[in-house]
Amino acid sequence: MNYFEIFGLEEKFSVDLDQLTERFQAIQKSVHPDRFAHASSQEQLLAVKKSTAVNDAYQTLKKPIKRAEYILSLRGVEIPNEQVTFSDNMFLMRQMELREMLAEVKFADDVDAAVFEVTQVLEIEFEQLFKAMQVLLFENSESSNKEACENLRKLKFYQKLHLELDRLEDLLFDD
Amino acid sequence: MALLQIAEPGQSTVPHEHRLAVGIDLGTTNSLVATVKSGLSETIVDSNGDDILPSVVSYQKDEILVGNKAKALAIIDPENTIVSAKRLIGRSHTDIQKKYHSLPYQFCGDENHPSFVTRSGKINPVQVSAEILKTLSQRAQDALGGELTGVVITVPAYFDDAQRQSTKDAATLAGVNVLRLLNEPTAAAVAYGLDNEHEGQQEGIIAVYDLGGGTFDISILRLNKGVFEVLATGGDSALGGDDFDVAIVDYLIEQANLQRPLSPSMERQLLDQACKAKEALTLSNSYQVVLTLAENEQWSTDISKEQFELLIKPLVNKTLRACRRALKDADIEVCAVKEVVMVGGSTRVPLVRAETEKYFDKTPLTSIDPDKVVAIGAAIQADILAGNKPDNDMLLLDVIPLSLGLETMGGLVEKVISRNTTIPVAKAQEFTTFKDGQTAMVIHVLQGERELVDDCRSLARFELRGIPAMTAGAAHIRVTFKVDADGLLEVSAMEKSTGVEASIEVKPSFGLAEDEITKMLKASMTNATEDMQARMLKEQQVEAARVIESVQSALNTDSHLLSEQENLVINEAISSLAKITQGTVVEDIEKAIEKLNHHTATFAEKRMDASIKTALSGQTVDNI
């Protein structure tokens, strides 16, 4: 059973998150190990196995980036390794610029404002790429899927930068 | 005419027997036990009418004292009286020395397995916790008049794997059957969420701020139709009210011009005064500290509330930073938090309440006693897990507090499961060999958020042997991390291309190896071999009864999923197990259980899949 089938959902990128969550919770109510705490060891093990699978499916479908990656893998498109560089030269340039921006945050006169500004830039560009990927995934042709995969890799780069920014923020504002 | 009785379809024909189950709040400073009686969860008192048991164990010549009697000896016999052992459980010697420089104990044992030297010999923190668990479970059995089916023990949400495992080991030593390790804030949320009397059934986002004696937890939960979903958790497993005391002690030492090192009893006296000052300053504006520095030499000073708040402000700020991070992890804005629940005795400190209120912009909920709310919630969960409420549809979805990973080349940590992932969870990662013909590899399991191995917590080292010799990079070793519903990690590994299950030797970095627990268990029994044998027999008999009961109730509802032949085989296996259980041969019972399990494996799987379908169809119908 693929993740969409587990929740009885149509195999497409746009997912009704409330519906997903409700179905997830309904299923967990019947398979969670807590339901089997007084049952035999065999049933307990089985419950852990089922509950784990359902959790995994839910976590994957809940997060748009993971969901996109999963859909692409169902369509036979595998995401290349993180180390593989982008063939898009424009984006390579942008990557460097963004890295520089991030590196300069801690030297800014007003660190708060600098963090805010970088966050804004990251979010706007992420949003644009995300929308483009949505359209490509909807089209679902060989070439559009390939392009969606490139977009997804870029989105993952933005996500990583965002994480680094969070870490930097924690570092700067902690004693 | 006598009427024939017919059971409701789907219900067992056996009359429902109430199983005794309790929740234990194993706290740093105080511990409690609670149970659900006629629908109400309440704490159980001892023969003196006290429900709070100080988490203090004193090793005296002929006896081990626990609770108030032990606490009374803390100043006069500090070396043999272990206070706040929870702060030391699952910790290394260096951790302890760095954090608590003024502990009055004599330590022994190696770096990662510190023990106390007491007059009863070497005692480790797991054994100390086991004494507290024993005392509370005995209290519960006396009060409830029977043996306990199982207990739910609460742990700080921010406890790492070593600390959780050590807590479970303590339960094993105490001879207590653990139904679940439950996170303290989640337990508090259950107590409030299901508390109709005070606030009505809660829905929406709640934050649980839990500041105990030695630990701080913040959990962000979403409550919806009986489901308690933890969105994020954070905290500090070494920050609590005890640190407020330490701050006062350091201040007193400075004011009184004392020099460390001080004698153990002087340290205790200082701590005792500090703790009294903290408690007094909850209500009044100043407190007079009196210290006996030497015989006939007294020293005293007044501590004002302002001074106290100045001392603890940095610690309170630290908790608020953890709140901010947890909200961020949960992707929730502060204003979306509907209720803030206060848990733990240290939330009585006015500054803590005021600052929390300011941060969340909400009056925190304190209607359930912050000292008891965790035990009360744990008891509710215990009652459900024991099977006393088959129709209850409460569900707790908890998370792991800290990321889990493996060491890779260059001392870096590769994360396998990230923090705040819902449990149970399993994730696999593939590795390959570095050299031609390599047949073994060391896998180092770590927990924490940082990138460098040295900044994370080492959980265990695995030696993987029996990898078939291949050229470098050709072997595919799949390492699987599994975290169960207790938040405990299990790691396994397999070479993929050949399917060889590599043998694994687990060396927990902290805490005890399994054979050490068995050894300690044996040592604690008077007739070790016979007692162990009796214990094993009883465990197997309990498991056999559980298996028979669950298969029978499964047959009652779902026998239509089986062919006549399958039905027959299963029924035969049940009768044979029931007969063998009457005997005393552990191995035979084990085998009979295995046989029945074997015959019901597909049946169990079919039933679970059917229940998923039912759950889903209920959903789809609801949504039309």
Side-chain angles (χ1 to χ4, degrees), chain A residues 18-50:
Chain A
D18 288 338
Q19 191 181 42
L20 173 69
T21 301
E22 245 177 72
R23 292 188 180 184
F24 162 70
Q25 293 184 347
I27 294 175
Q28 282 293 14
K29 275 184 182 174
S30 66
V31 300
H32 194 275
D34 281 2
R35 290 268 164 250
F36 299 88
H38 62 287
S40 66
S41 312
Q42 184 187 34
E43 281 175 293
Q44 288 184 11
L45 279 174
L46 194 60
V48 171
K49 214 174 95 190
K50 292 274 174 199

Side-chain angles (χ1 to χ4, degrees), chain B residues 13 27 120 165 173 209 328 340 430 432 455 466 470 538 562 596:
Chain B
T13 46
S120 313
Q165 190 58 59
L173 270 186
Y209 181 103
K328 206 167 168 183
V340 180
E430 275 180 31
T432 190
D455 297 328
M470 288 186 241
K538 195 148 165 251
L562 295 168
L596 179 54

Side-chain angles (χ1 to χ4, degrees), chain B residues 2 39 44 62 139 164 206 234 265 283 349-350 415 431 458 490 501 503 526 533 535-536 549 563 572 582 589 598 609:
Chain B
I44 301 174
D62 308 312
R139 182 200 287 180
R164 281 169 201 271
I206 66 165
S265 64
L283 296 169
V349 174
K415 273 182 199 159
F431 293 88
S458 165
E490 191 195 294
E501 189 101 20
S503 61
T526 21
Q533 192 68 24
R535 186 169 167 159
M536 272 156 63
E549 196 198 311
S563 71
E572 257 168 37
Q582 310 280 321
I589 302 175
H598 173 75
D609 288 340

Side-chain angles (χ1 to χ4, degrees), chain A residues 1 5-8 19 21-44 46-56 58-59 62 66 165-167 169-170 173-175, chain B residues 19 179-180 222 224-225 227 229 321 324-325 328 381 384-387 392-397 415 422-427 449 451 485 543 546-547 550 597-598 600-601 604-605 607-609 611-612 615-616 619-620 623:
Chain A
M1 250 204 261
E5 286 163 358
I6 288 180
F7 300 110
Q19 191 181 42
T21 301
E22 245 177 72
R23 292 188 180 184
F24 162 70
Q25 293 184 347
I27 294 175
Q28 282 293 14
K29 275 184 182 174
S30 66
V31 300
H32 194 275
D34 281 2
R35 290 268 164 250
F36 299 88
H38 62 287
S40 66
S41 312
Q42 184 187 34
E43 281 175 293
Q44 288 184 11
L46 194 60
V48 171
K49 214 174 95 190
K50 292 274 174 199
S51 179
T52 300
V54 174
N55 271 337
D56 196 24
Y58 177 60
Q59 298 291 339
K62 194 171 74 169
K66 282 193 187 169
L165 189 64
D166 278 354
R167 215 175 274 162
E169 216 184 327
D170 282 346
F173 297 116
D174 275 13
D175 353 299
Chain B
R19 300 186 183 91
L179 291 168
R180 186 71 73 235
R222 183 168 41 213
N224 174 39
K225 295 181 197 154
V227 179
E229 186 187 5
R321 271 202 298 278
R324 198 187 56 163
R325 199 166 306 154
K328 206 167 168 183
Q381 167 81 331
I384 293 171
L385 294 185
N392 188 295
D393 71 345
M394 178 179 97
L395 175 67
L396 307 186
L397 296 168
K415 273 182 199 159
T422 309
I423 52 174
V425 60
K427 284 264 153 63
E449 307 312 314
E451 283 176 334
E543 172 68 10
R546 221 179 289 165
V547 172
S550 80
N597 277 342
H598 173 75
T600 55
E605 183 119 25
R607 289 185 65 234
M608 221 171 275
D609 288 340
S611 80
I612 293 179
L616 216 49
Q619 274 300 310
T620 25
N623 285 322

Side-chain angles (χ1 to χ4, degrees), chain B residues 48-113:
Chain B
N48 294 322
D50 294 326
D51 54 3
I52 286 179
L53 179 80
S55 304
V56 185
V57 179
S58 187
Y59 293 86
Q60 294 305 307
K61 216 159 98 202
D62 308 312
E63 58 181 340
I64 299 172
L65 301 172
V66 181
N68 280 315
K69 280 188 202 154
K71 198 180 174 183
L73 297 170
I75 291 186
I76 52 171
D77 190 17
E79 287 179 28
N80 296 299
T81 306
I82 317 298
V83 180
S84 302
K86 187 179 176 181
R87 308 196 89 174
L88 314 178
I89 209 162
R91 298 245 163 235
S92 75
H93 210 143
T94 317
D95 286 342
I96 295 171
Q97 294 295 342
K98 213 161 72 188
K99 182 84 188 123
Y100 316 109
H101 37 78
S102 59
L103 289 175
Y105 319 121
Q106 295 258 356
F107 284 100
C108 65
D110 69 51
E111 165 60 21
N112 289 345
H113 304 86

